[in-house]
Amino acid sequence: MTQGVRGTRDFYPEDMRVRNWLFERFREAARSHGFEEYDAPMLEHEDLYTRKQGEEITQQLYCFEDKGGRRVSLRPEMTPSLARMVMAKAGALPTPIKWFSIPQCWRYERTQRGRGREHYQWNVDVWGANGVEADAELLSVLAAFFRSVGLGPEDLVIRISSRKVLEEVLNSVGVSGKAFPAVCVIVDKMGKIPEEAMSAQLAEQGLGADAISKIRSTLGSQDLDALESALGGGSTAVSELIALFSMIEAYGISEWVAFDASVVRGLAYYTGPVFEAHDRAGEMRAIVGGGRYDRLLSALGGKDMPATGFGFGDMVIMELLATKGLVPELPTGNQDIVVSRDEGLRPAAMSVAQRLRASGRAVDLVLEEKRLKWAFRHAERTGAERLVMVMPEEWGEGNVRIKDLGSGEETDVSFDDL
Ligand code: HAM
């Protein structure tokens, strides 16, 4: 009972400093590309998530009945909430809508390295833009973020494909479009579940052995030329991917990405380009996943609007940064430590602290009787810039003694000049 719930995390102040640092890098990368921050409640109606295509996510809901008898769920992802918000104001919002958020998401998953039952997920989405320009912009946001935390293309790779590849294969073997979302979810498990199990699931969707072998060979393509010959001329999937890759070149971020036809993604709603980033060593789970989902609003009973975006968890990236020695040592943010030499000077120390605070300094006032030596160590430990000492003689002359902890220099400054 006194232990936290399995798969959840506590953030002590030192953890919180790192988390804030990470989130600030997320925010900067999004803002530098013109995205605005939004938020939504962690609790939604359960049926916002109950889709019927066999996705794992819909079986991992933290759902319950509230006291009013409503079925509700903690959000496992942000995209449905975002869709709800966009739908509620559809028409009133100027497009393209470029929004980002950093929600905490909840999934009842098997806990393992890089996967917990709660995680924070940076979401960056563009709504109302049809072309792959929007997808390219998202990839640039990612590259900007990776650069800002010191990672390079030698550390990770963003693999890109398009759901249209699979759609075209299915069309060519005469499988109905209705089966498409469910087939994508199954095909995403390729290599993760036994072949016979996958074939059996695909057979349930009306796919025969020929179709399955065509899917396998097409998704094995590692370059666009091979894909083009697999799909034949005039493929929209190929021409869109070619356009996307030429934009990626224009952005100067080619070294971060690679085409890989096997990227399908496990959520049913994707319709176009999809992508996923992994560490180069291939040891960790996906760092980020996203793609285009142009038909989500009609699935929720609204009018469709083109959309594309990604979700980027806080767990795998922190592991990768730790492996690379890129997690920074962060100071507490305290600038001044104010200490009084004796009990009688406590009120003087209070007014000194207040004066410094009013001037915009972050001040930690020593609250109890402590030796100067303790205050000095405390200042060092918390990474403060200065130790401000209120001492009898100096205070008698209207001064405080300030020790600069960088240079070690001490100077007397009058209270009025603080
Ligand atoms: P997703 O692939 O389910 O996509 O999750 C995106 C990312 O969230 C993953 O790549 C991973 O970094 C992180 N993540 C997911 N589950 C966990 C977990 N249990 N523990 C730790 N991290 C996790 C989506 O959720 C889509 N809604 C993303 C999106 C936004 N697509 C378009 N816009």
Side-chain angles (χ1 to χ4, degrees), residues 56-254:
E56 260 188 331
I57 199 170
T58 59
Q59 288 140 35
Q60 297 169 332
L61 295 180
Y62 272 95
C63 49
F64 57 97
E65 195 172 292
D66 73 6
K67 291 194 168 66
R70 298 171 202 89
R71 293 295 307 173
V72 291
S73 175
L74 296 183
R75 63 178 163 221
E77 55 161 341
M78 193 62 159
T79 312
S81 301
L82 173 60
R84 188 178 57 66
M85 286 170 71
V86 170
M87 204 157 88
K89 288 206 173 182
L93 296 168
T95 55
I97 298 160
K98 293 171 66 184
W99 290 355
F100 78 95
S101 64
I102 313 177
Q104 189 180 29
C105 298
W106 294 82
R107 298 183 189 185
Y108 195 81
E109 281 209 44
R110 197 165 65 79
T111 56
Q112 51 180 307
R113 193 169 170 221
R115 286 288 179 275
R117 290 190 174 159
E118 52 79 16
H119 69 283
Y120 287 89
Q121 196 192 83
W122 178 36
N123 276 249
V124 182
D125 292 86
V126 181
W127 284 74
N130 243 316
V132 285
E133 286 80 1
D135 306 83
E137 181 85 344
L138 292 172
L139 297 167
S140 173
V141 172
L142 282 175
F145 164 78
F146 288 132
R147 260 188 234 111
S148 78
V149 293
L151 289 167
E154 66 284 4
D155 300 315
L156 61 100
V157 58
I158 308 169
R159 294 201 180 84
I160 305 173
S161 184
S162 173
R163 280 261 170 112
K164 288 189 182 158
V165 172
L166 202 50
E167 199 174 11
E168 289 175 15
V169 174
L170 294 185
N171 284 342
S172 75
V173 295
V175 174
S176 98
K178 261 203 194 145
F180 177 64
V183 169
C184 291
V185 172
I186 300 166
V187 171
D188 179 65
K189 298 179 200 154
M190 199 151 67
K192 298 171 203 159
I193 61 167
E195 260 190 65
E196 312 81 69
M198 204 182 97
S199 302
Q201 289 180 23
L202 287 173
E204 270 174 44
Q205 300 295 328
L207 272 69
D210 283 359
I212 295 172
S213 94
K214 183 147 191 206
I215 289 174
R216 269 187 208 289
S217 66
T218 313
L219 298 196
S221 308
Q222 296 276 340
D223 65 76
L224 283 170
D225 291 338
L227 179 67
E228 190 154 29
S229 45
L231 290 177
S235 151
T236 319
V238 172
S239 56
E240 252 185 30
L241 284 167
I242 289 173
L244 179 57
F245 276 89
S246 74
M247 288 174 203
I248 286 169
E249 209 173 309
Y251 273 97
I253 55 170
S254 299

